[in-house]
Amino acid sequence: MTNRFRTASGGRIDRAAPLSFRFDGQTFSGFKGDTLASALIANGVHLVGRSFKYHRPRGFLSAGSDEPNALVNVARDAARAAPNLRATQVELYEGLKAQSQNRWPSLSFDAGAVNDLAAPFLPAGFYYKTFMWPAGAWKRFYEPKIRAMAGLGVAPDLPDPDRYTQNHAHCDVLVVGAGPAGLAAALAAAESGAKVILCDEQAELGGSLLSETTATIEGKPAADWLAATLATLTARDNVTLMPRTTAFGYFPHNHIALAERVTEHLAAPGPDLPRERLWEVRAKEVVIAAGALERPLVFPDNDRPGVLLADSARTYANRYGTKVGERAVIFTACDAGYRAALDLKAAGVSIAAIADLRAEVSGELPSRALAAGIDVRPSTVLVGTKGRLRVASAQLAKVTKGAVGPAETIACDSVLMSGGFTPSVHLFSQSRGKLVWDGAAGAYLPGTSVERERSAGACRGVNGLQRVLEDGYAQGEAAALAARTYTSPARGATPAPAAPSRSIPASAEDLGTDGFIGATPHGRNPAFTKAFVDWQNDVTAKDLKLATREGMRSIEHVKRYTTTGMATDQGKTSNMNALGIVSEALDTPVPKIGLTTFRPPFTPTTFGLFAGAARGDVFDPVRKTAIHDWAAEHGAAFEDVGNWKRAHYFPRAGEDMHAAVARECKAVRASVGMFDASTLGKIEVVGPDAAEFMNRMYTNAWAKLEPGRLRYGVMLREDGFVMDDGVVGRMAADRFHVTTTTGGAPRVLAHMEDYLQTEWPDLDVWLTSTTEQWSVIAVQGPKAREVIAPLIEGIDLSKEAFPHMSVREGTILGVPTRLFSVSFTGELGFEINVPSAYGRAVWEAVYAAGERFGITPYGTETMHVLRAEKGYIIVGQETDGTATPDDVNLGWAVGKAKKDFVGKRSLLRESMSAPDRRQLVGLKTTDPKIVLEEGAQIVADPAAPVPVPMLGFVTSSYHSAVLGRSIALAMVKGGRARIGTKLMVPMPTHAIEVEVVEPVFYDPKGERLNG
Amino acid sequence: MQKFSGFELFRRALGGHKSWQPQWRNPEPKAEYDVVIVGAGGHGLAAAYYLAKEHGITNVAVIERGWLGGGNTGRNTTIVRSNYLFDESAALYEHAVKLWEGLSQDINYNVMYSARGVLMLAHNHHDEISFKRHVHANRLNGVDNEWLTAEQVKEFCPPLNIKSMRYPIIGGALQRRGGTARHDAVAWGFARAADSRGVDIIQNCEVTGIRRGPSGAVEGVETSRGFIRAKKVGVSAAGHTSVVMAMAGLRMPLESFPLQALVSEPVKPAFPTVVMSNTIHAYISQSDKGEMVIGAGTDAYTSYSQRGALHITAHTLDAICELVPQFRRLRMLRNWGGIVDVTPDRSPIIAKTPVPGLYVNCGWGTGGFKATPGSGHVFAHTIAKDAPHAINAPFTLERFRDGFLIDEAAAAAVAH
C-alpha cells in the first residue's frame, strides 16, 4: 500500500528512510519518525481496534499517551509480545509487527459486536442487577462468559527474556515535560548553575513545538528555536536530557519515578541494552511542565473511526506529514478547531464545515478561517455521524435558544473535535498538592503544594506561547534558586507565582480559554443514541445519567458504577466531561461534585521495570558459607533456610535421604560427626552496659555469668512469646558473643537496635552483626575431643578446665578461634568459631584429623533428628509465636528475680498461666513404624462431631535410627499432665494412636554431654 | 426496593432505563436513632442491614465522612477465604464464607462471589508444616482446605512457575470455596438492602465527637451536620477507628499502616485462581474485567496517608514476576493505598467496650474484606443484644490485657 494520505512535504519524518511494517498480517510502509498510528493513518487505516464492552469499531482518537482506542499487541517474537500498547506511542521500526485486539474472527467482522445490538439491555452496572439466578450459575456459567468477553489484549504466555535495569539519580531541578514551558524551565535552571534533569515521554523533545509550523520564538521559526535550545542544553554538562522517559509516579519527599524506554523503538536492539530503565530521582525541586490534554466533545456516535481530536489531527499533519482524511468536518468549542482546520487545509485536507458550539465566533483564528473560505457555523452542534467502519458523514444542527434544529448531513471521512484543553495535573495531584477549581479557566489547577514542586505553563492554566515560555523560564529560575537555598522541606506552601524574569517573544495563535465540559445537546431520543465519554470502557453520557438517577452522587461512585475513567488511559480524555455531565444531572456545580484521585502511574508501566534484575538466583541473595563448596564437592543435598543454602544431608551412592540421615545419626552417636553451623546468626554485643542490655533483652540473668562461660538465652517479644533463642558466650565483662537462629538473625538485630535506639538510648552498648565473619564448625560425638585436641593450641581441653557450656579463645592450626563447648545433639560437642576466610581450611583439617574415627559430615536433617531425640526445641518449629518459655519447658531460663526484661509484664497476664495452655511433650506412636505427619492435629476422640475439639498438634516428627522407632514432639493442651495417656492423631482416612511421653527420648539424664 | 433481575433489566430497558430509582436515599440526619453506626464501609453497612433484617432494629443511621464504600471496602484485593488455623478465626471467617455463598440472592445484588479457589504457596519445609497444620485443623473444623503437591499446584494453576526460581514451589494449600467478590457491589448491595429496610445512610457527615452522659454511657455523636442522639453507637471505621474511639476517651490497641495494591491493564483470561505467597510476599488474581489484581504486605511505617512507598510495590512485583515470569511485560495500570488498622495479634476486635453503649468492630488489618458479611452479622448481634454472638465472643478488647490472643499471623506466618 502506498502512503496515500501523506502530505506532499513537511513534518519531522525522514522521507528518505522508508520502513516496512505489518498490521494484522498486512504489510504497510511508513517512514522513520512515524508512530505506528501516523504510519497507519498515512496508509488510510483508521479501524484499529474494538471497544471493551460493545466491540464497536474504533480508530485513533489522539496522537499521544491519552489514546483510549488504538491499543495493539506488538510482538518481536513469541516471548516478546506486549499487549495493550498505544499505537500512538509505538515508534515505527523496520519489520514491526502489530496485531489488533479484542476481536474475533477479524477486526472488520467481529462477532462480539452483537453486544452493540444488545446495548439497550447492557447499561452501566447491568451485571449488578442480574446473573443471580439460579444461585451458582454465576460461577459456572455467567462469569466465564463475561470473562471471555472482557479483557483487552492477550497476555504473553512465555517468560519475558528482556532485561530491565534500575538506577538512582539526584539533581537540583527535575523538569517533567519538554514542551515550551519545560524547555524554558530547564534553560533557566541550567543557566543558574543547577544540576538539571529534563525528561519527556515522547521520542523527541519539544512537546507542542513539534507540531508548530508557523509560530516563531525569539524571531526564529519554532523548530529552529527548539533545535537551538536543545543544542544549548545538550552542550551543558549540568543538564541531562531524557527523551522516551515518563515521570510516572510522584512519591513522598520529591522521590519521582521515571520509566525510560531504551530499546522499544529499535528494529534490532543490542543484547547489551535493557528494554527499559527505572530511574528513581531525588530532586531538590521539581518543575512540572506536563502541558494540557485536549478534550473530546460528547455527542452521538462520536466514536466512529475517523473521529479524532482536532489538535491531534493537526499533529498528524504538521509533525508526521499525515492527513487524517480527505474531507473533514470540525466540531469545536474553542479556537483549537480553527487552528486545526487551517493547518489541515494547508496540508491539503478539504474542510467541509466548522460547527462551533459557541454563538459568538470572533478573533484571529475564526477570522482567518472565514477568510480562507471555510464554512463556519456558529451555534451548531454535531448530532450524529454515520458510517460502518469509518465515519462517512456528520449530521449538523443549529442550536437556537437551547433547542436543536433539524440536522443537515455533510459527507466527510473525518470529524475533528475540540472541547478545549484540560491541564495535566496528574503529577501535581500525585504529590498530594491540593487542586482548586478555576471557574475562569474551567479547569482544576494546582493550588497548595505539599512537596517542593511548582507547575509551569499549560498544566497550570497558562496559555499563549509567549506566556508559556516566560512562565517556564521564571519557574525554572525560581526552582534553581530554591534548590540553592534548600533548607528543609516546605509543607503546605504555595510557591509564590514567579513573575516573568525574561522576555521570550513568540508569535503563535492564541487559543484563549474557551471550552466545553459535558455532553453537547443533540435533541435526539437518548434511548437510541450513544454519546461516548469514555471510549475504551464504552461509557456514554446516558450511563452517567443512569448512575446519578440510581443515587450515585459522588464522582467516585459514578466512576466505579459506570467504569468511566477506569480504562487504560485512566480518564485522561474522559474525566472532565464525566464531571460536567454529572454536574448537570445533579444540578450541582462541578467543584462540588468532587474529583477522583489521581493515582500512579501516569501511563501504564511495565511490571519488569519494577522487578528489574530480581529474578531467579538474584531474586533474593543466595548466601553460602565458607564450607559450602566443600559440602557440594562431597555430594551434599542443599535446602533453603532463609536465604542461606544449607547442606541438608550427605548421601552416599545408593542412599536416599532416610538412609543417609540414619547413617549420619548413628555415626554421631557412636563416634563423631561434623556439621557446618556457620549460618547461625551472630551478634557481638559490646560496651560497659552490655550485661545490663542483655538482661533486658533476654529472659535469662546475665550479670553473674562469668567470662568464659556460655548460657542458653531465650528472647521474648513484647507479648511474652518466644521470639528467638541461642547460645551466648561472655567473652569479657563488657563483651558477649550472641548467637541466634539462622532465619532470625536480622530480626533479632533489628529488635535489639529498636530497643537500644528508642527505649534505652542511655545504655552504652554497640551491636555488630558478625554472622558472616565467623565460620562455625560443630564437632559432635563421643570422639569429638580426641578429634580436635591435636589441632588446638592455647586451650586446656580437659573436662575440668573446659567444662560443658564454656568458651575459650586460642588457636586452631594457628588460626584464632573462639572455641565453644556446646552441644545441640546431646553428645560431647564443640563449636569451633574461626574467621570465615579460614573456614574451609579448618574444616578440612578437622575432617582429616577425624578420619581415623570415621568422622561423618552431617546436614540439617540429621541435626534436626538428633536434637529431637534430646527434646531440644527449634524456635519456629516447636514455637509458633504463641508459646511462652514455660510452654516449651524453658521456664528455668526465665530469671525470676530480674526486675524487668522484654515480655516480662506479658508473662504475668491471666492467660499465661491458664491450665489448658499447649505444652511441649513427646509422642510415641503405638506402632513404632508410623512416622506422624508434622502439622497433624491431636484429639481425644477422632469420631467426635465437627468441629472436632483439638488438643494440639505435631511439631516435629522423625524416624530415629538410634532408637529404632519413630519419635515426635508436639504441643498439647495441658500436655505435661497428660504424660502417660493415649491420644489420637486423626488423618483424613484413619486415626493414629499415640502415647504422650516426656519430650526427651535419648539419654534423659544428659550423661553423654560431658563425654 | 425495586427488584433486580434479568427480567426487570429487560423490562426497564424498554423504557430507556428511566424508571430506575436511587439504590439508596440521600436523607438528612434525624435528631435521634436507636443505633448509629460510624463508617459506611462494607462492615458498617452489613451491620446496619443485619440489625434491620435479623433484629428488627430499623431506626438506624450509618454515618460516613466521605462516600459509602470509599475506604478499604473499595481499595482491597477482594480475596475471600476461611482456612484459618485457630478455632476462633475459622468459625468467624467460615461464618462469613457461608454468608458470601448466598449473599447475592439475599440482598438481591450481584456481588459476583466467585469461588475460584485460593491457593497458598509453600516454598520451604516451614511453609509445608504450617500449611499442613492448617489443612488438618481446617478439616476437623469443617473448613475445606487441601494440600497440593507442586505438580498439583501446577495443574490447578498452569501459569505458575514452580521450578526455575529462587525459592521453588514445593506445594500449596488450596481452599476451593475461597475466591473473590466485587468489592464495590458489596458496599452498594448492603447499602441498598439496608436502606430499603429503613436505615438512613448519611454520607459526607464526619463524626467530630462522641458525647457521653454523666453515667459515662454514650448519648450520641457530634457530627459535621450536627448532634445525632443515639444510645448505641457502633464504630466500624477501619484505619481511623483509633481516631474515632479517642473521641470517647478510649485508647485502642491499634496501629494504622498503609497497604498498597495495584492492577495491571486488562487482558483476556490468563490466571484462573487466587494465588498467595507469603514467603515471597505477593498475591494475585484476575478480575472479571481482566485486570491482574495484586497485593502484598503493609508498608513498614504507620501512616494515615492512602499511599505507600515505591519499593514496596517494586518488591511485590519482583515476586509476581518470579511466580509468573510471562507477566513481566504486563503493565501496571493503577497503584493505590488504603489504611489498615492492625491489632497486636492481627485478629479483629468485634466487641463491647468499657463505655456503655459503645461498640467497636476494627483491627481487621489486611484481611477485612473477606469477613464483611460475617463481621456485620455478628456485630449487629453484639449491638442488638448488648452481648457478643458466640462467634465473636473471643474477639474482645480485653484479650490484649489478659493475653488470650488469637495470633494467626504469628502461628502461621501467613498474611490474611
Side-chain angles (χ1 to χ4, degrees), chain A residues 66 329-330 353 413 489 593 604 786 960 982 996:
Chain A
D66 49 345
V329 166
I330 289 171
D413 63 0
I593 303 284
E786 289 167 71
S960 164
K982 302 267 173 139
V996 182

Side-chain angles (χ1 to χ4, degrees), chain A residues 84 102 120 128 132 139 143 147 153 160 162 550 557 560 599 605 607 612 620-621 880 911 933 948, chain B residues 17 23 68 105 110 114-115 133 136 140 166-167 182 184 266 268 288 306 328-330 332 402 410:
Chain A
N84 299 342
N102 202 34
Y128 299 125
M132 289 179 278
K139 184 190 172 228
E143 188 185 35
R147 281 178 177 261
D160 182 357
D162 283 338
E550 291 200 70
H557 282 157
R560 287 157 181 261
R599 295 281 183 189
T605 307
F607 283 5
D620 208 18
D880 61 3
S911 60
E933 186 167 288
V948 183
Chain B
H17 298 288
Q23 298 190 6
L68 71 87
Q105 288 73 30
N110 188 358
S114 168
R133 185 179 167 198
H136 284 289
L140 297 171
R166 174 73 177 83
Y167 298 113
R182 170 83 186 113
D184 290 326
K268 293 292 178 191
D288 286 338
Q306 285 175 325
R328 282 173 81 89
R329 268 178 134 83
L330 291 189
M332 181 208 281
D402 304 332

Side-chain angles (χ1 to χ4, degrees), chain A residues 52 79-81 83-85 102 120-121 123 126-132 135 138-139 143 147-153 155-160 162 164 250-252 255 257 275 280 430 432 451 537 546 549-554 556-557 560-561 566-568 570 599-601 604-608 610-612 614-617 619-622 640 642-643 645 717 721 876-877 880-882 909-911 918 933-937 939 946-948 950 953 986-988, chain B residues 4-6 9-10 13-14 16-18 20-24 26 67-69 74-75 85-87 104-105 108-110 112-116 124-126 129 132-133 136-137 139-142 165-168 180 182-185 188 203 262 264-271 280 286-291 294 305-310 313-314 317-322 325-337 399-405 407 410-411:
Chain A
F52 191 87
R80 291 181 169 84
N84 299 342
L85 302 186
N102 202 34
F121 310 108
F126 71 96
Y127 29 73
Y128 299 125
K129 295 190 172 99
T130 182
F131 307 137
M132 289 179 278
W138 169 253
K139 184 190 172 228
E143 188 185 35
R147 281 178 177 261
M149 294 295 287
L152 289 165
D157 54 7
L158 291 173
D160 182 357
D162 283 338
Y164 301 83
Y250 204 130
F251 298 92
H255 174 204
R275 182 174 180 235
E280 294 192 49
Q430 278 190 34
R432 294 296 160 113
E451 299 281 354
N537 275 355
L546 172 66
R549 204 150 57 234
E550 291 200 70
M552 305 295 176
R553 305 180 64 82
S554 156
E556 283 282 359
H557 282 157
R560 287 157 181 261
Y561 194 65
M566 296 179 79
T568 63
Q570 290 288 287
R599 295 281 183 189
T605 307
T606 313
F607 283 5
F610 297 93
R615 71 172 121 182
D617 276 354
F619 171 74
D620 208 18
V622 177
D640 287 310
N643 43 21
K645 293 281 180 194
R717 300 189 314 211
F721 298 123
Q877 188 149 351
D880 61 3
T882 68
R909 294 183 297 186
E910 184 190 334
S911 60
R918 283 189 293 264
E933 186 167 288
E934 290 172 345
Q937 297 288 323
V939 303
V946 170
V948 183
M950 285 170 261
F953 64 102
M987 302 303 286
Chain B
F4 283 174
S5 69
L9 191 63
F10 179 79
L14 303 179
H17 298 288
K18 293 282 184 206
W20 290 113
Q21 289 165 4
Q23 298 190 6
W24 49 83
N26 187 31
W67 36 283
L68 71 87
R75 295 170 190 276
L85 177 63
F86 292 124
D87 300 348
S104 293
Q105 288 73 30
N108 183 228
Y109 209 103
N110 188 358
M112 306 183 192
Y113 179 60
S114 168
R116 321 170 52 67
N124 56 47
H125 183 59
H126 181 270
I129 303 179
K132 285 188 172 168
R133 185 179 167 198
H136 284 289
R139 187 183 72 247
L140 297 171
N141 268 326
M165 57 196 299
R166 174 73 177 83
Y167 298 113
T180 56
R182 170 83 186 113
H183 55 11
D184 290 326
W188 299 339
Q203 303 179 73
L262 64 100
S264 74
E265 295 181 298
V267 287
K268 293 292 178 191
F271 205 77
I280 63 172
Q286 188 171 15
S287 72
D288 286 338
K289 198 180 169 190
E291 296 162 332
I294 291 167
S305 164
Q306 285 175 325
R307 64 169 172 173
L310 175 63
T313 304
L317 288 172
D318 288 355
I320 293 298
C321 291
E322 183 80 341
Q326 62 272 35
F327 285 177
R328 282 173 81 89
R329 268 178 134 83
L330 291 189
R331 299 192 295 178
M332 181 208 281
L333 174 60
R334 196 167 58 248
N335 172 209
W336 66 93
R399 73 180 190 273
F400 301 104
R401 181 192 63 205
D402 304 332
F404 293 98
L405 304 181
D407 202 337

Side-chain angles (χ1 to χ4, degrees), chain B residues 23 28 54 87 92-93 97 110 149 153 210 247 257 264 270 281 311 356-357 369 403:
Chain B
Q23 298 190 6
E28 284 302 312
E54 307 265 317
D87 300 348
L92 177 62
Y93 292 102
V97 166
N110 188 358
T149 62
V153 164
I210 295 176
M247 297 172 189
F257 293 91
S264 74
H281 305 297
H311 70 275
F369 178 73

